[in-house]
Amino acid sequence: MNYNVYPEIKPGKKFFKRIYISIMMWVVGRGIQAAARVDKVVKAEFLKLGDDFSFSLGVVPDGPFMIVGTNKKGKVKYMGWNPEGKQISLKLCIKNIEAAFLVFSFQESTAIAFAHNRFIVDGDLPASLSIVKVLDRVEIYLLPKFFASMAVKRYPKWSELPPLRKYIGRVLIYLRVFTIG
Amino acid sequence: MHIAAYYEFFIQAKIISGNKAMEQLPVELDSYNSRKPFAIMSKKIAKSASGKKFIKALYDSNVIIGAMYDNVPDYASISMIKELAVLFRNRGCDSIIVIGDGAVMDVGRGVNILVSQKDDDLLKYAGKNILKKSLKPLIYIPTSTSTGYESSNLAIIEAREFSSDFLYPDIICIDPRITVKNCSQCVAESAMVALTHSIEIFAVPVINPVTDSYALASIQYIYENLEKAVKRSGNKEARLAIANAEVMAGIAFSNSTAGMAHSLGVAMADSTGLSQGVCMGILLPYCLEFMLYKKNTIRDILLFAIAGHDVYSETPEDERIQKSFNMLHRFHQNFKKLLPQTFEQVNVPEYKMTEAALRAAGSNKKLMIDDCLIVLEHAYHGKPI
């Protein structure tokens, strides 16, 4: 047998999907920071998680990542994409880039992805459920109803999130995402 | 429901099935501290471009494929296994991924024995429970033409049987991108093998509730999806269901004993050169009919698996077995374009019946030659018993 016919195969990269997920993580990360100032539910969830809480959401092994946490002043802040050197209380890792693409292209909701065992949770499990709730809430603000209803576990009724509040919140969050944060 | 007085059940494999299942492999390999798998693939699968899909699934991970051998024929030979073991060692691989069905899994198991035992003599390990220590991680990616033996603890290499609990795959990864690319006839044949194994679970006198649950799910998946799966090869959902059914049947079979249809089917396949699926498909209804005739126990839960809850509930208890047998006959007839209904149709010479009966009675001590001959004769002409 000629062994050279069967060479070693090094893994390639899925550039398009990596770029797409990086952009989505940046928008969602900044969106969480903005939503914590605009929406009461997101604010309350972070208050429950306490001071010095931070979490990362990323794809193993090489990213992309996003880090969000509470700073010394108690404000929720998007802390960038590099987890190195940061003290992170909760690490949420998606097992591969395809699973991340399913989540961020709204083919699979965060709750379903959790149920499909596509996440690795390193940290407090109740805190991770709070973060899933925050992610759902932010997606409701960021996305039109058609996409958001595919991305979240349950789209809120009018009584839970009145349309006026939703649309004002959406404008404010988008303004903050692309300006002051 | 009958309560089992005593039973054992063993399954080593973690099953990952569904959309993007292959992408989960790097994380799973990491849990075995493995970074460099050795991939083995059959010629058939390599032609369908499944190899490229597999390589692409491992993108953006830290897994390097040590080598991807995609030239396994339909027969597992010791010389090839030895050469692949050398390639495995030269590349410093630490696990094995097998993609395909039949002989390719036997080759994978053979290579695993040699590299894990650090030995070159494979024949030393032939037999039952000869292996005494665990092997390297073995990952199996089935197609929809797997017969189920691949998920069991059995390897057949050059007509020698290797059986050990260490031969179970560690991970079975069922991905629709791999299961979809198979010919309809092969799917029907392999589903018949799985169906035979699952149905015969209910004809074994020893009750094992865990094996029953695997067999029930397997029968239901085959009944609901085989027609769709053979009608359109692109039906991902149906093909995935069939691959799942075959895996479950294989696991159930390896925790049970071989029945009459299995033993006779294997013997006929060996004697005539027909596929096991064709032989078992023809023989299964006649074997069940023969068991009914002999008043052997067949549990009525078989009807539940075949027809569902409603039909099972509305059928009187003493008619359930007969009804399930009738439904099974009709089910097999639905595939008459793909599966022959009698041995006469495929021009098997009649003297092969005696040869097969002797072989079957030799391999399964519970079978009598006369009984085997009765079943084979009726299956030959398609006459009810």
Side-chain angles (χ1 to χ4, degrees):
Chain A
M1 187 192 288
N2 181 6
Y3 293 142
N4 297 329
V5 180
Y6 309 104
E8 265 187 12
I9 302 167
K10 293 204 168 104
K13 296 268 178 210
K14 292 180 178 171
F15 289 108
F16 166 72
K17 284 178 179 167
R18 283 178 75 87
I19 291 166
Y20 174 81
I21 292 161
S22 305
I23 294 168
M24 287 302 288
M25 280 186 172
W26 182 83
V27 173
V28 171
R30 305 247 321 162
I32 293 172
Q33 177 182 323
R37 287 159 179 76
V38 172
D39 184 73
K40 283 178 193 164
V41 176
V42 176
K43 202 174 184 177
E45 286 298 333
F46 273 102
L47 272 176
K48 263 197 276 176
L49 293 168
D51 292 338
D52 295 333
F53 173 82
S54 62
F55 80 93
S56 71
L57 173 66
V59 186
V60 283
D62 302 323
F65 290 95
M66 70 172 204
I67 297 109
V68 177
T70 321
N71 64 11
K72 282 174 189 167
K73 291 176 191 164
K75 289 200 167 173
V76 177
K77 198 133 181 73
Y78 171 66
M79 295 172 168
W81 56 269
N82 190 2
E84 265 174 49
K86 293 188 176 87
Q87 218 176 18
I88 295 165
S89 5
L90 173 71
K91 289 177 187 166
L92 293 171
C93 294
I94 304 177
K95 284 182 179 176
N96 53 68
I97 201 95
E98 283 295 337
F101 190 75
L102 285 178
V103 171
F104 283 104
S105 60
F106 322 115
Q107 296 174 58
E108 210 168 81
S109 72
T110 323
I112 294 286
F114 252 86
H116 284 175
N117 202 16
R118 299 205 194 268
F119 279 84
I120 301 168
V121 179
D122 183 3
D124 189 24
L125 195 62
S128 76
L129 298 179
S130 289
I131 295 304
V132 171
K133 202 171 164 188
V134 167
L135 285 171
D136 275 7
R137 193 77 178 177
V138 170
E139 278 166 359
I140 289 162
Y141 278 116
L142 291 178
L143 301 169
K145 190 177 175 182
F146 176 74
F147 291 111
S149 53
M150 287 194 287
V152 301
K153 194 174 176 184
R154 188 178 62 83
Y155 199 83
K157 290 177 194 162
W158 279 26
S159 56
E160 290 164 312
L161 183 65
L164 190 66
R165 212 169 95 198
K166 184 173 78 181
Y167 293 124
I168 292 173
R170 182 173 292 170
V171 171
L172 289 174
I173 287 172
Y174 267 112
L175 275 173
R176 282 177 169 272
V177 165
F178 294 105
T179 55
I180 52 170
Chain B
M1 196 174 170
H2 299 285
I3 295 170
Y6 175 84
Y7 72 89
E8 286 182 13
F9 185 87
F10 180 74
I11 171 178
Q12 176 149 316
K14 172 177 183 173
I15 301 174
I16 307 167
S17 167
N19 192 16
K20 311 282 179 196
M22 282 195 297
E23 274 79 356
Q24 300 283 86
L25 287 180
V27 171
E28 298 299 332
L29 283 168
D30 195 45
S31 66
Y32 286 99
N33 209 10
S34 164
R35 291 277 186 281
K36 207 173 191 186
F38 179 71
I40 306 173
M41 197 182 280
S42 65
K43 268 184 195 172
K44 254 190 313 187
I45 290 292
K47 274 184 204 159
S48 66
S50 297
K52 277 183 194 165
K53 284 175 192 163
F54 165 69
I55 294 169
K56 227 174 163 189
L58 301 185
Y59 274 21
D60 275 299
S61 72
N62 45 17
V63 170
I64 297 169
I65 302 170
M68 193 160 89
Y69 185 80
D70 55 1
N71 211 11
V72 178
D74 292 337
Y75 177 72
S77 72
I78 292 177
S79 59
M80 177 200 278
I81 289 170
K82 279 183 181 172
E83 283 183 322
L84 291 183
V86 172
L87 182 57
F88 182 102
R89 288 184 196 118
N90 285 352
R91 296 284 163 79
C93 297
D94 48 20
S95 56
I96 296 172
I97 299 178
V98 175
I99 309 158
D101 51 74
V104 68
M105 191 58 177
D106 294 332
V107 170
R109 285 188 172 119
V111 173
N112 203 5
I113 293 172
L114 288 187
V115 296
S116 304
Q117 301 292 331
K118 296 182 180 141
D119 203 342
D120 275 329
D121 186 9
L122 189 62
L123 293 177
K124 224 162 70 181
Y125 303 97
K128 216 169 184 184
N129 296 326
I130 306 288
L131 289 165
K132 295 291 176 219
K133 62 173 191 178
S134 57
L135 307 179
K136 292 199 183 288
L138 177 66
I139 291 127
Y140 171 49
I141 304 175
T143 63
S144 49
T145 57
S146 311
T147 47
Y149 296 121
E150 297 87 348
S151 326
S152 69
N153 56 354
L154 193 78
I156 294 167
I157 301 163
E158 290 194 357
R160 285 175 185 86
E161 205 173 290
F162 297 72
S163 158
S164 165
D165 281 347
F166 296 121
L167 288 176
Y168 275 110
D170 296 286
I171 296 166
I172 300 172
C173 175
I174 312 170
D175 194 296
R177 286 165 290 179
I178 302 292
T179 55
V180 86
K181 301 267 180 188
N182 301 113
C183 74
S184 295
Q185 179 152 8
C186 308
V187 173
E189 285 175 9
S190 49
M192 278 300 148
V193 177
L195 190 66
T196 304
H197 289 156
S198 299
I199 285 179
E200 286 201 318
I201 299 288
F202 300 107
V204 173
V206 184
I207 296 168
N208 182 335
V210 193
T211 317
D212 281 3
S213 61
Y214 276 82
L216 269 175
S218 166
I219 295 169
Q220 278 172 347
Y221 270 29
I222 293 174
Y223 255 77
E224 285 167 18
N225 295 288
L226 186 57
E227 222 164 310
K228 289 182 238 167
V230 296
K231 212 176 235 175
R232 204 165 62 84
S233 65
N235 192 332
K236 275 189 183 180
E237 207 178 300
R239 294 263 166 138
L240 186 70
I242 295 297
N244 267 286
E246 286 158 356
V247 166
M248 287 187 278
I251 293 164
F253 175 70
S254 53
N255 281 284
S256 179
T257 50
M260 189 182 204
H262 166 82
S263 303
L264 273 178
V266 171
M268 272 304 281
D270 289 347
S271 304
T272 59
L274 291 169
S275 81
Q276 285 190 12
V278 168
C279 298
M280 287 186 199
I282 295 172
L283 286 163
L284 181 62
Y286 296 97
C287 288
L288 287 182
E289 203 181 358
F290 182 75
M291 283 180 214
L292 276 178
Y293 168 73
K294 279 265 187 178
K295 296 199 169 49
N296 284 6
T297 322
I298 302 173
R299 278 176 287 145
D300 62 1
I301 195 133
L302 178 59
L303 183 65
F304 179 81
I306 292 174
H309 192 269
D310 290 347
V311 179
Y312 178 77
S313 312
E314 69 192 22
T315 312
E317 218 169 302
D318 52 341
E319 290 172 23
R320 283 176 184 160
I321 296 297
Q322 187 62 45
K323 190 159 190 171
S324 45
F325 159 73
N326 292 341
M327 289 185 78
L328 186 69
H329 227 319
R330 274 204 301 278
F331 181 72
H332 188 234
Q333 279 168 351
N334 288 346
F335 301 97
K336 60 183 170 198
K337 281 185 188 162
L338 298 169
L339 298 168
Q341 303 292 301
T342 62
F343 287 117
E344 205 172 13
Q345 265 182 34
V346 275
N347 301 323
V348 173
E350 268 189 85
Y351 71 88
K352 292 275 183 192
M353 302 290 133
T354 326
E355 193 184 312
L358 285 168
R359 268 178 197 249
S363 66
N364 188 344
K365 300 290 172 219
K366 283 180 250 160
L367 297 180
M368 311 292 284
I369 296 174
D370 293 340
D371 292 351
C372 295
L373 278 172
I374 293 170
V375 173
L376 284 170
E377 270 171 34
H378 284 81
Y380 187 85
H381 300 289
K383 280 190 302 191
I385 293 172

PDB file of all heavy atoms in Angstrom, chain B residues 21 27 37 65 82-83 101 119 130 156 197 200 204-205 227 233 238 276-277 284 289 307 315 341 353 373:
ATOM      1  N   ALA B  21     -24.981  16.421  13.205  1.00  0.00           N
ATOM      2  CA  ALA B  21     -24.468  15.507  14.241  1.00  0.00           C
ATOM      3  C   ALA B  21     -22.953  15.333  14.126  1.00  0.00           C
ATOM      4  O   ALA B  21     -22.255  15.243  15.139  1.00  0.00           O
ATOM      5  CB  ALA B  21     -25.166  14.162  14.137  1.00  0.00           C
ATOM      6  N   VAL B  27     -15.820  17.705  19.861  1.00  0.00           N
ATOM      7  CA  VAL B  27     -16.011  17.811  21.321  1.00  0.00           C
ATOM      8  C   VAL B  27     -16.047  16.422  21.953  1.00  0.00           C
ATOM      9  O   VAL B  27     -15.485  16.193  23.031  1.00  0.00           O
ATOM     10  CB  VAL B  27     -17.308  18.607  21.629  1.00  0.00           C
ATOM     11  CG1 VAL B  27     -17.639  18.553  23.094  1.00  0.00           C
ATOM     12  CG2 VAL B  27     -17.158  20.033  21.166  1.00  0.00           C
ATOM     13  N   PRO B  37      -7.847  11.370  14.830  1.00  0.00           N
ATOM     14  CA  PRO B  37      -8.528  10.117  14.456  1.00  0.00           C
ATOM     15  C   PRO B  37      -8.050   9.585  13.112  1.00  0.00           C
ATOM     16  O   PRO B  37      -7.537  10.328  12.278  1.00  0.00           O
ATOM     17  CB  PRO B  37      -9.994  10.538  14.374  1.00  0.00           C
ATOM     18  CG  PRO B  37      -9.958  11.980  14.036  1.00  0.00           C
ATOM     19  CD  PRO B  37      -8.701  12.535  14.625  1.00  0.00           C
ATOM     20  N   ILE B  65      -7.204  14.859  10.891  1.00  0.00           N
ATOM     21  CA  ILE B  65      -7.457  13.473  10.468  1.00  0.00           C
ATOM     22  C   ILE B  65      -6.100  12.858  10.087  1.00  0.00           C
ATOM     23  O   ILE B  65      -5.450  13.319   9.142  1.00  0.00           O
ATOM     24  CB  ILE B  65      -8.450  13.423   9.291  1.00  0.00           C
ATOM     25  CG1 ILE B  65      -9.771  14.090   9.701  1.00  0.00           C
ATOM     26  CG2 ILE B  65      -8.692  11.985   8.843  1.00  0.00           C
ATOM     27  CD1 ILE B  65     -10.736  14.319   8.576  1.00  0.00           C
ATOM     28  N   LYS B  82      -3.912  -5.309   8.607  1.00  0.00           N
ATOM     29  CA  LYS B  82      -2.524  -5.161   9.087  1.00  0.00           C
ATOM     30  C   LYS B  82      -1.890  -3.907   8.488  1.00  0.00           C
ATOM     31  O   LYS B  82      -1.203  -3.151   9.178  1.00  0.00           O
ATOM     32  CB  LYS B  82      -1.704  -6.393   8.713  1.00  0.00           C
ATOM     33  CG  LYS B  82      -1.932  -7.545   9.670  1.00  0.00           C
ATOM     34  CD  LYS B  82      -1.041  -8.705   9.305  1.00  0.00           C
ATOM     35  CE  LYS B  82      -1.266  -9.871  10.243  1.00  0.00           C
ATOM     36  NZ  LYS B  82      -0.572 -11.068   9.821  1.00  0.00           N
ATOM     37  N   GLU B  83      -2.135  -3.691   7.188  1.00  0.00           N
ATOM     38  CA  GLU B  83      -1.560  -2.505   6.531  1.00  0.00           C
ATOM     39  C   GLU B  83      -2.125  -1.217   7.124  1.00  0.00           C
ATOM     40  O   GLU B  83      -1.400  -0.246   7.338  1.00  0.00           O
ATOM     41  CB  GLU B  83      -1.853  -2.559   5.027  1.00  0.00           C
ATOM     42  CG  GLU B  83      -0.942  -3.531   4.306  1.00  0.00           C
ATOM     43  CD  GLU B  83      -1.171  -3.528   2.807  1.00  0.00           C
ATOM     44  OE1 GLU B  83      -2.320  -3.421   2.370  1.00  0.00           O
ATOM     45  OE2 GLU B  83      -0.169  -3.653   2.078  1.00  0.00           O
ATOM     46  N   ASP B 101     -20.951   0.920   6.024  1.00  0.00           N
ATOM     47  CA  ASP B 101     -21.693  -0.221   6.558  1.00  0.00           C
ATOM     48  C   ASP B 101     -20.984  -1.527   6.205  1.00  0.00           C
ATOM     49  O   ASP B 101     -20.134  -1.557   5.327  1.00  0.00           O
ATOM     50  CB  ASP B 101     -23.112  -0.239   5.994  1.00  0.00           C
ATOM     51  CG  ASP B 101     -23.119  -0.116   4.489  1.00  0.00           C
ATOM     52  OD1 ASP B 101     -22.783  -1.096   3.825  1.00  0.00           O
ATOM     53  OD2 ASP B 101     -23.436   0.975   3.973  1.00  0.00           O
ATOM     54  N   ASP B 119      -0.203  -5.494  18.744  1.00  0.00           N
ATOM     55  CA  ASP B 119       0.076  -6.851  18.275  1.00  0.00           C
ATOM     56  C   ASP B 119      -0.084  -6.879  16.760  1.00  0.00           C
ATOM     57  O   ASP B 119      -0.656  -5.952  16.176  1.00  0.00           O
ATOM     58  CB  ASP B 119      -0.943  -7.800  18.937  1.00  0.00           C
ATOM     59  CG  ASP B 119      -0.444  -9.230  18.978  1.00  0.00           C
ATOM     60  OD1 ASP B 119       0.484  -9.539  18.212  1.00  0.00           O
ATOM     61  OD2 ASP B 119      -0.984 -10.022  19.764  1.00  0.00           O
ATOM     62  N   ILE B 130     -12.344 -12.899  24.058  1.00  0.00           N
ATOM     63  CA  ILE B 130     -10.899 -13.114  24.181  1.00  0.00           C
ATOM     64  C   ILE B 130     -10.222 -11.815  24.617  1.00  0.00           C
ATOM     65  O   ILE B 130      -9.254 -11.834  25.372  1.00  0.00           O
ATOM     66  CB  ILE B 130     -10.289 -13.598  22.835  1.00  0.00           C
ATOM     67  CG1 ILE B 130     -11.033 -14.831  22.306  1.00  0.00           C
ATOM     68  CG2 ILE B 130      -8.788 -13.877  22.959  1.00  0.00           C
ATOM     69  CD1 ILE B 130     -10.822 -16.115  23.029  1.00  0.00           C
ATOM     70  N   ILE B 156     -16.829  -9.845  11.872  1.00  0.00           N
ATOM     71  CA  ILE B 156     -16.552 -11.075  11.115  1.00  0.00           C
ATOM     72  C   ILE B 156     -15.468 -10.757  10.101  1.00  0.00           C
ATOM     73  O   ILE B 156     -15.672  -9.948   9.182  1.00  0.00           O
ATOM     74  CB  ILE B 156     -17.826 -11.632  10.462  1.00  0.00           C
ATOM     75  CG1 ILE B 156     -18.773 -12.074  11.577  1.00  0.00           C
ATOM     76  CG2 ILE B 156     -17.499 -12.817   9.555  1.00  0.00           C
ATOM     77  CD1 ILE B 156     -20.156 -12.364  11.172  1.00  0.00           C
ATOM     78  N   HIS B 197     -34.366  -8.797  13.199  1.00  0.00           N
ATOM     79  CA  HIS B 197     -33.741  -8.834  14.526  1.00  0.00           C
ATOM     80  C   HIS B 197     -34.696  -8.286  15.587  1.00  0.00           C
ATOM     81  O   HIS B 197     -34.816  -8.838  16.677  1.00  0.00           O
ATOM     82  CB  HIS B 197     -32.437  -8.023  14.524  1.00  0.00           C
ATOM     83  CG  HIS B 197     -31.360  -8.696  13.744  1.00  0.00           C
ATOM     84  ND1 HIS B 197     -30.311  -8.010  13.184  1.00  0.00           N
ATOM     85  CD2 HIS B 197     -31.168  -9.997  13.409  1.00  0.00           C
ATOM     86  CE1 HIS B 197     -29.521  -8.862  12.547  1.00  0.00           C
ATOM     87  NE2 HIS B 197     -30.020 -10.065  12.681  1.00  0.00           N
ATOM     88  N   GLU B 200     -37.790 -10.635  16.164  1.00  0.00           N
ATOM     89  CA  GLU B 200     -37.443 -11.886  16.859  1.00  0.00           C
ATOM     90  C   GLU B 200     -37.176 -11.689  18.354  1.00  0.00           C
ATOM     91  O   GLU B 200     -37.140 -12.659  19.100  1.00  0.00           O
ATOM     92  CB  GLU B 200     -36.259 -12.553  16.161  1.00  0.00           C
ATOM     93  CG  GLU B 200     -36.712 -13.168  14.842  1.00  0.00           C
ATOM     94  CD  GLU B 200     -35.802 -14.248  14.309  1.00  0.00           C
ATOM     95  OE1 GLU B 200     -34.573 -14.068  14.368  1.00  0.00           O
ATOM     96  OE2 GLU B 200     -36.317 -15.268  13.831  1.00  0.00           O
ATOM     97  N   VAL B 204     -38.377 -14.459  21.608  1.00  0.00           N
ATOM     98  CA  VAL B 204     -37.427 -15.083  22.540  1.00  0.00           C
ATOM     99  C   VAL B 204     -38.135 -15.251  23.888  1.00  0.00           C
ATOM    100  O   VAL B 204     -38.781 -14.311  24.357  1.00  0.00           O
ATOM    101  CB  VAL B 204     -36.169 -14.186  22.685  1.00  0.00           C
ATOM    102  CG1 VAL B 204     -35.241 -14.707  23.753  1.00  0.00           C
ATOM    103  CG2 VAL B 204     -35.436 -14.104  21.360  1.00  0.00           C
ATOM    104  N   PRO B 205     -38.077 -16.434  24.510  1.00  0.00           N
ATOM    105  CA  PRO B 205     -38.826 -16.629  25.754  1.00  0.00           C
ATOM    106  C   PRO B 205     -38.359 -15.748  26.919  1.00  0.00           C
ATOM    107  O   PRO B 205     -39.135 -15.429  27.809  1.00  0.00           O
ATOM    108  CB  PRO B 205     -38.619 -18.105  26.067  1.00  0.00           C
ATOM    109  CG  PRO B 205     -37.519 -18.581  25.202  1.00  0.00           C
ATOM    110  CD  PRO B 205     -37.419 -17.662  24.047  1.00  0.00           C
ATOM    111  N   GLU B 227     -41.304   2.858   3.541  1.00  0.00           N
ATOM    112  CA  GLU B 227     -41.913   3.137   2.237  1.00  0.00           C
ATOM    113  C   GLU B 227     -41.443   4.501   1.706  1.00  0.00           C
ATOM    114  O   GLU B 227     -41.069   4.628   0.540  1.00  0.00           O
ATOM    115  CB  GLU B 227     -43.425   3.097   2.372  1.00  0.00           C
ATOM    116  CG  GLU B 227     -44.063   2.374   1.208  1.00  0.00           C
ATOM    117  CD  GLU B 227     -45.493   1.990   1.487  1.00  0.00           C
ATOM    118  OE1 GLU B 227     -45.745   1.389   2.546  1.00  0.00           O
ATOM    119  OE2 GLU B 227     -46.334   2.310   0.637  1.00  0.00           O
ATOM    120  N   SER B 233     -35.022   8.864  -2.627  1.00  0.00           N
ATOM    121  CA  SER B 233     -33.743   8.749  -1.907  1.00  0.00           C
ATOM    122  C   SER B 233     -33.385  10.034  -1.170  1.00  0.00           C
ATOM    123  O   SER B 233     -32.602  10.034  -0.233  1.00  0.00           O
ATOM    124  CB  SER B 233     -32.628   8.378  -2.878  1.00  0.00           C
ATOM    125  OG  SER B 233     -32.441   9.430  -3.784  1.00  0.00           O
ATOM    126  N   ALA B 238     -36.900  10.330   6.530  1.00  0.00           N
ATOM    127  CA  ALA B 238     -37.188   8.892   6.502  1.00  0.00           C
ATOM    128  C   ALA B 238     -35.893   8.075   6.552  1.00  0.00           C
ATOM    129  O   ALA B 238     -35.809   7.071   7.265  1.00  0.00           O
ATOM    130  CB  ALA B 238     -37.981   8.547   5.251  1.00  0.00           C
ATOM    131  N   GLN B 276     -28.292 -10.949   2.985  1.00  0.00           N
ATOM    132  CA  GLN B 276     -29.021 -11.389   4.186  1.00  0.00           C
ATOM    133  C   GLN B 276     -30.400 -10.751   4.260  1.00  0.00           C
ATOM    134  O   GLN B 276     -31.366 -11.361   4.724  1.00  0.00           O
ATOM    135  CB  GLN B 276     -28.223 -11.019   5.438  1.00  0.00           C
ATOM    136  CG  GLN B 276     -27.028 -11.906   5.656  1.00  0.00           C
ATOM    137  CD  GLN B 276     -26.399 -11.684   7.016  1.00  0.00           C
ATOM    138  OE1 GLN B 276     -26.960 -11.040   7.888  1.00  0.00           O
ATOM    139  NE2 GLN B 276     -25.209 -12.212   7.199  1.00  0.00           N
ATOM    140  N   GLY B 277     -30.488  -9.504   3.780  1.00  0.00           N
ATOM    141  CA  GLY B 277     -31.765  -8.788   3.816  1.00  0.00           C
ATOM    142  C   GLY B 277     -32.817  -9.495   2.984  1.00  0.00           C
ATOM    143  O   GLY B 277     -33.961  -9.641   3.414  1.00  0.00           O
ATOM    144  N   LEU B 284     -38.832 -14.334   7.234  1.00  0.00           N
ATOM    145  CA  LEU B 284     -39.438 -13.863   8.484  1.00  0.00           C
ATOM    146  C   LEU B 284     -40.919 -14.235   8.641  1.00  0.00           C
ATOM    147  O   LEU B 284     -41.288 -14.828   9.664  1.00  0.00           O
ATOM    148  CB  LEU B 284     -39.226 -12.348   8.634  1.00  0.00           C
ATOM    149  CG  LEU B 284     -39.779 -11.716   9.901  1.00  0.00           C
ATOM    150  CD1 LEU B 284     -39.106 -12.286  11.135  1.00  0.00           C
ATOM    151  CD2 LEU B 284     -39.590 -10.203   9.876  1.00  0.00           C
ATOM    152  N   GLU B 289     -44.929 -17.755  11.219  1.00  0.00           N
ATOM    153  CA  GLU B 289     -46.058 -18.656  11.006  1.00  0.00           C
ATOM    154  C   GLU B 289     -45.751 -20.042  11.591  1.00  0.00           C
ATOM    155  O   GLU B 289     -46.603 -20.665  12.222  1.00  0.00           O
ATOM    156  CB  GLU B 289     -46.317 -18.772   9.500  1.00  0.00           C
ATOM    157  CG  GLU B 289     -47.729 -19.203   9.174  1.00  0.00           C
ATOM    158  CD  GLU B 289     -47.954 -19.327   7.677  1.00  0.00           C
ATOM    159  OE1 GLU B 289     -47.022 -19.043   6.908  1.00  0.00           O
ATOM    160  OE2 GLU B 289     -49.051 -19.728   7.293  1.00  0.00           O
ATOM    161  N   ALA B 307     -48.646  -1.971  14.580  1.00  0.00           N
ATOM    162  CA  ALA B 307     -49.870  -1.263  14.196  1.00  0.00           C
ATOM    163  C   ALA B 307     -50.188  -0.052  15.065  1.00  0.00           C
ATOM    164  O   ALA B 307     -51.056   0.735  14.718  1.00  0.00           O
ATOM    165  CB  ALA B 307     -51.027  -2.239  14.234  1.00  0.00           C
ATOM    166  N   THR B 315     -57.983  -4.927  19.254  1.00  0.00           N
ATOM    167  CA  THR B 315     -57.891  -6.329  18.821  1.00  0.00           C
ATOM    168  C   THR B 315     -57.949  -7.245  20.040  1.00  0.00           C
ATOM    169  O   THR B 315     -57.228  -7.020  21.017  1.00  0.00           O
ATOM    170  CB  THR B 315     -56.553  -6.575  18.075  1.00  0.00           C
ATOM    171  OG1 THR B 315     -56.387  -5.549  17.111  1.00  0.00           O
ATOM    172  CG2 THR B 315     -56.517  -7.930  17.401  1.00  0.00           C
ATOM    173  N   GLN B 341     -40.224 -12.258  -3.136  1.00  0.00           N
ATOM    174  CA  GLN B 341     -41.147 -12.789  -2.135  1.00  0.00           C
ATOM    175  C   GLN B 341     -40.892 -14.272  -1.821  1.00  0.00           C
ATOM    176  O   GLN B 341     -41.301 -14.764  -0.778  1.00  0.00           O
ATOM    177  CB  GLN B 341     -42.589 -12.624  -2.612  1.00  0.00           C
ATOM    178  CG  GLN B 341     -42.959 -11.183  -2.926  1.00  0.00           C
ATOM    179  CD  GLN B 341     -43.003 -10.297  -1.696  1.00  0.00           C
ATOM    180  OE1 GLN B 341     -43.755 -10.558  -0.770  1.00  0.00           O
ATOM    181  NE2 GLN B 341     -42.183  -9.266  -1.668  1.00  0.00           N
ATOM    182  N   MET B 353     -31.457 -25.688  -0.110  1.00  0.00           N
ATOM    183  CA  MET B 353     -32.273 -25.645   1.098  1.00  0.00           C
ATOM    184  C   MET B 353     -31.683 -26.566   2.173  1.00  0.00           C
ATOM    185  O   MET B 353     -31.556 -26.185   3.325  1.00  0.00           O
ATOM    186  CB  MET B 353     -33.714 -26.112   0.799  1.00  0.00           C
ATOM    187  CG  MET B 353     -34.423 -25.332  -0.262  1.00  0.00           C
ATOM    188  SD  MET B 353     -34.801 -23.692   0.304  1.00  0.00           S
ATOM    189  CE  MET B 353     -34.236 -22.785  -1.098  1.00  0.00           C
ATOM    190  N   LEU B 373     -36.118 -27.248   7.479  1.00  0.00           N
ATOM    191  CA  LEU B 373     -36.490 -27.685   6.125  1.00  0.00           C
ATOM    192  C   LEU B 373     -37.953 -27.345   5.816  1.00  0.00           C
ATOM    193  O   LEU B 373     -38.270 -26.918   4.706  1.00  0.00           O
ATOM    194  CB  LEU B 373     -36.240 -29.184   5.963  1.00  0.00           C
ATOM    195  CG  LEU B 373     -34.785 -29.548   5.635  1.00  0.00           C
ATOM    196  CD1 LEU B 373     -34.582 -31.044   5.684  1.00  0.00           C
ATOM    197  CD2 LEU B 373     -34.377 -29.008   4.263  1.00  0.00           C
TER     198      LEU B 373
END
